[in-house]
Amino acid sequence: MTETTGSRRAQVTRAALLEAAREVFAVAGYDGASMVDIAHRAGASIGSLYHHFAAKSDLYTTLYNEYHLRQQHRAAQAFRTALAAGEQDALRLFVVGTRAYLEGCWQERKLAAVFLSGSGPAGFGIITRERFGDWLHANATLVNGHDRPLSDVLVLCLTAMATEAGREVAAASTKADARTVIDEVLELMGRLYPA
């Protein structure tokens, strides 16, 4: 077996383990999930699982970090698209990015619900606070320099609103319910900084 073949196989195994962990955590939550169940669902050995991930907490935080990056990418892409279309109002740009984030919460609702539930390994609250701080900084940076700049406090309030709305979107029973939450939250955001 060549190094490239071994590397590809390792990537495929790692991806299967992450997908299995995603499914198991979505059903059982962090505390109820077991490494044996995850390995079994992935069709991998427990040794292979521990080769790729040191512990259940490692799997969980890896899933969380990847989810967080996808959410950042969704919001930034929507923001860039709006900018390219000529939008310069900071609040409208923020709202466009928030819509993409909230739609991502619906698209990945099972995983989002796990992360937004408050469960997780010891120290996970610190990780989520750090990611919130990263997101807050990214939001403040993105809207800086556009028409009608947003204050740091307003960016904080809007980001906190988006986070809590994400929890509600992920818990919505139907896509229509999720859409209602998204639309109402974005409309409320607009009222905080009227034209």
Side-chain angles (χ1 to χ4, degrees), residues 136 144 159 195:
L136 186 61
N144 190 19
T159 303

Side-chain angles (χ1 to χ4, degrees), residues 68-85:
H68 184 74
L69 287 173
R70 285 191 303 275
Q71 287 290 71
Q72 280 185 320
H73 177 74
R74 285 179 177 111
Q77 182 61 41
F79 186 94
R80 285 190 298 271
T81 299
L83 269 178

Side-chain angles (χ1 to χ4, degrees), residues 12-182:
V12 167
T13 300
R14 184 179 186 279
L17 290 166
L18 284 169
E19 183 56 33
R22 178 183 182 135
E23 293 168 7
V24 171
F25 287 135
V27 171
Y30 179 78
D31 292 331
S34 79
M35 294 293 268
V36 171
D37 289 343
I38 292 167
H40 178 74
R41 185 173 291 249
S45 70
I46 195 74
S48 179
L49 176 56
Y50 280 109
H51 172 76
H52 289 279
F53 300 97
K56 182 168 71 168
S57 59
D58 185 25
L59 261 170
Y60 193 84
T61 55
T62 299
L63 280 172
Y64 176 73
N65 288 331
E66 290 182 0
Y67 168 77
H68 184 74
L69 287 173
R70 285 191 303 275
Q71 287 290 71
Q72 280 185 320
H73 177 74
R74 285 179 177 111
Q77 182 61 41
F79 186 94
R80 285 190 298 271
T81 299
L83 269 178
E87 183 60 68
Q88 286 296 314
D89 184 88
L91 182 63
R92 287 191 197 118
L93 290 166
F94 188 96
V95 166
V96 164
T98 300
R99 179 176 294 281
Y101 165 80
L102 293 174
E103 288 174 353
C105 288
W106 173 254
Q107 290 167 9
E108 297 193 54
R109 59 192 168 277
K110 289 180 182 176
L111 192 58
V114 169
F115 296 137
L116 296 171
S117 71
S119 69
F124 187 66
I126 294 168
I127 294 169
T128 59
R129 283 191 295 280
E130 287 173 354
R131 293 300 167 268
F132 181 84
D134 294 344
W135 190 27
L136 186 61
H137 176 73
N139 286 342
T141 301
L142 284 173
V143 298
N144 190 19
H146 299 286
D147 296 346
R148 295 187 335 126
L150 307 179
S151 72
D152 289 344
V153 171
L154 183 54
V155 172
L156 170 64
C157 292
L158 294 171
T159 303
M161 282 177 71
T163 300
E164 290 305 311
R167 195 179 320 275
E168 294 303 312
V169 168
S173 300
T174 66
K175 186 174 184 176
D177 290 345
R179 175 73 54 202
T180 297
V181 171
I182 293 169

